[in-house]
Amino acid sequence: MAAVSYFVRMVAKDGKADQVQELLLENPRRIEQGEPGNLAFGVHRSVDNPNEFWLYETWASEAAVEAHESGEAFLRYKEALRPLVEADSVLFGNCVPVKVLGYRLSDAP
C-alpha cells in the first residue's frame, strides 16, 4: 500500500500558542517511543504569525495511521487541543507522496 501524508494547519487562540505547541509535540514524542510506520513527522510554527502551526506527517500505510490515531493518548490530545485553536482555521490535506527526499517511498522508481 502507498504511503500516506497529511498537512494540517491551525491557528491557536490568542494566548494559547505555547500550549498548542506543547500538545503538538506530544505526537512525535509518542512516535519516538515506538509507534511503527511513521516515515516523517514535522511540527512547524509560522514566522509571520506565531499563533499559526503547520504539521506534516507521512506514514507507511493507512494501517499505521489508524494505529497512531486509535489510542487513548491520541484521543486525549485531540480533546485537549480542540478548545485551544480557532475552529475555522483548521485545514487538513490528505495526500499521497509522489516524490520526497529524505525517505524512500516503497513504490517509487
Side-chain angles (χ1 to χ4, degrees), residues 5 13 20-21 31 36 39 42 54 57 59 88 90 102:
S5 291
K13 292 179 179 177
V20 168
Q21 179 173 310
I31 292 164
L39 302 176
W54 289 84
E57 52 190 290
W59 297 87
D88 62 347
V90 179

Side-chain angles (χ1 to χ4, degrees), residues 21-34:
Q21 179 173 310
E22 189 56 37
L23 281 169
L24 294 177
L25 291 173
E26 286 182 11
N27 281 303
R29 288 181 190 131
R30 274 198 327 275
I31 292 164
E32 289 172 323
Q33 292 173 2

Side-chain angles (χ1 to χ4, degrees), residues 4-8 55-59 62 65 69 92-95:
V4 175
S5 291
Y6 298 107
F7 292 87
V8 183
L55 302 179
Y56 168 75
E57 52 190 290
T58 296
W59 297 87
E62 286 285 346
V65 174
E69 294 180 352
F92 182 84
N94 182 357
C95 333

